[in-house]
Amino acid sequence: MQTPSTARAAKPLKGAVKPAPAAQVIEELRPGQSIELLRELHILTREGKLNQDTRRKLKQVYHLYQFIEPLLNEVAAAKAAFTLADHGAGKSYLGFIVYDLFFNVAHAGEAMAGHVYGIETRAELVEKSRTLAARLGFARMSFLNLTVQASTTSAELPPEIDIVTALHACDTATDDAIAFGLAKNARHMVLVPCCQAEVAGVLKKSRALSLAKTPLAELWRHPLHTREFGSQITNVLRCLQLEANGYQVTVTELVGWEHSMKNELILASRPAQPLAGKTRAAQARLHEVLDELGLGELTTRFAVPA
C-alpha cells in the first residue's frame, strides 16, 4: 500500500516538462500524399489529425478515386499526355485529390505527362485554387474562370479532352458537362448529378394531358412523386443520351445512402469502335421515352437525330 509521502513523491514536479503526446498514426494516408493539401481541404486538422467525420470523408475520396484511376492509366498509356476537365470545380477538391494521388502517389518518380483543368464560374475560387496549386508545386493544373458553355469553345482548353468529371453538378449543369464531353470527343465521363428540377417542371406542366394519355402518369401525379420521378428519369435520359452517342454506361453508388442521397455515379466510356446497332437502338428508345412521358420540349437537350 502506498503511503501519503510516497504518493506525494510520485506526483510530477512543478515546472517539469511534460512528455510530448505520441504522434497519431494515420493508416489511411498513402506514402507521398500531400499533408498540406489535406489540411487545406479540411480533411486533416491543422495539427495533421483525423476525426471521425474527416476519416469518413477521406474514405469517400479514395472510393471516388478508385473509379477514376483506371481511366487515367488507360488514357495515359494510349497517348503522350492525357487531359482531364473537372466542371463546376468549386474549390477544386476533386481535381486536387486526383492530381495528388495520381502524380505524387501512384506514379511518384515516373515521367507521367498529363494536365488537369478545373472549370469554375466563381472568380474568387479560381484564384484561390491557382494560389494553392502554385504553393504545392502542382504544375500540371490550370483553373479557368469560365462557364461550361464558354469552355467548349475557349482557346484555353485543347480541342479534345480525354476525361470529363462533374461532381454534384446541380440541375442542368450535368447536362452542360455532357454536352462539353460530346463536343470534346471525351473518352470517359464521370458524373455525379445533383438536384435535378428541369424535367420535374415539364412533367408538372403537362400532368393533366399525360394523365389523359397514359396510366403511367400516376407515377408523377402527386407533387412529391413528380420531384422524385423527375430526378430519376433525368438520369435515365442522360444515360440513354450517352448510349445514343456510342458510349457504354455504368450506373452505381458513389457512397452509401447513409452518407448522401445524392450519390448516383454515372460512368460513361466510348469504345474505339462503338457498336452501331446498340447506338441506333438507344437513339430510338430515347425518342420513345421522351414521347411517352410528354417531354417532347426537351428533345433538343437530350436526344440526338434518330
Side-chain angles (χ1 to χ4, degrees):
M1 182 175 177
Q2 196 175 38
T3 65
S5 60
T6 56
R8 284 194 298 271
K11 292 181 180 179
L13 297 174
K14 289 184 178 181
V17 178
K18 295 181 181 179
Q24 182 188 24
V25 176
I26 304 176
E27 296 179 354
E28 291 89 347
L29 298 189
R30 302 179 182 182
Q33 199 167 359
S34 172
I35 300 303
E36 183 179 358
L37 172 63
L38 295 177
R39 284 174 175 158
E40 288 291 335
L41 298 178
H42 305 295
I43 290 177
L44 291 181
T45 66
R46 288 296 171 187
E47 294 74 32
K49 296 182 179 181
L50 282 172
N51 57 38
Q52 185 175 354
D53 289 338
T54 56
R55 179 170 274 110
R56 183 170 59 247
K57 183 185 290 186
L58 185 60
K59 288 181 178 178
Q60 291 176 17
V61 168
Y62 286 158
H63 184 64
L64 179 57
Y65 181 70
Q66 276 183 239
F67 293 103
I68 298 176
E69 184 182 23
L71 309 182
L72 290 168
N73 284 325
E74 178 195 308
V75 294
K79 58 193 304 185
F82 68 85
T83 51
L84 182 149
D86 181 34
H87 280 288
K91 296 179 180 178
S92 294
Y93 185 99
L94 175 60
F96 275 120
I97 289 290
V98 166
Y99 186 102
D100 191 37
L101 291 180
F102 187 77
F103 286 111
N104 300 333
V105 177
H107 297 280
E110 299 179 31
M112 300 295 294
H115 205 93
V116 175
Y117 296 90
I119 301 169
E120 169 60 44
T121 57
R122 288 165 288 182
E124 68 278 9
L125 295 183
V126 171
E127 190 55 41
K128 286 181 179 178
S129 294
R130 288 172 178 168
T131 300
L132 179 58
R135 190 164 77 242
L136 295 174
F138 288 9
R140 292 185 288 270
M141 291 194 82
S142 297
F143 303 94
L144 307 177
N145 182 205
L146 295 169
T147 64
V148 182
Q149 294 90 338
S151 68
T152 303
T153 56
S154 173
E156 296 181 90
L157 286 155
E160 292 193 351
I161 294 289
D162 296 303
I163 301 174
V164 173
T165 62
L167 178 61
H168 293 148
C170 285
D171 203 13
T172 59
T174 298
D175 302 304
D176 293 338
I178 291 174
F180 173 91
L182 294 176
K184 292 290 188 179
N185 200 30
R187 178 74 179 83
H188 303 285
M189 298 192 215
V190 181
L191 311 166
V192 182
C194 184
C195 306
Q196 300 93 317
E198 183 187 35
V199 170
V202 177
L203 288 171
K204 181 179 179 181
K205 185 169 58 177
S206 61
R207 183 184 297 141
L209 180 61
S210 298
L211 282 167
K213 176 184 175 184
T214 172
L216 286 178
E218 291 293 335
L219 292 171
W220 64 91
R221 178 162 63 91
H222 298 286
L224 177 62
H225 294 162
T226 302
R227 187 180 68 214
E228 294 178 347
F229 182 75
S231 178
Q232 174 77 1
I233 199 62
T234 299
N235 287 339
V236 170
L237 290 169
R238 286 165 175 161
C239 292
L240 279 171
Q241 178 188 28
L242 288 162
E243 291 174 338
N245 281 278
Y247 285 80
Q248 296 175 348
V249 177
T250 300
V251 181
T252 187
E253 289 182 359
L254 173 60
V255 294
W257 290 109
E258 68 275 15
H259 298 307
S260 173
M261 295 299 289
K262 304 296 183 183
N263 76 332
E264 186 170 335
L265 174 62
I266 300 174
L267 298 167
S269 296
R270 179 176 46 78
Q273 294 293 333
L275 298 175
K278 287 188 175 181
T279 299
R280 286 193 298 271
Q283 291 172 357
R285 288 198 304 273
L286 181 52
H287 283 278
E288 289 166 3
V289 170
L290 288 167
D291 180 64
E292 181 68 23
L293 299 180
L295 298 173
E297 68 182 79
L298 298 177
T299 298
T300 302
R301 177 177 292 278
F302 290 107
V304 296

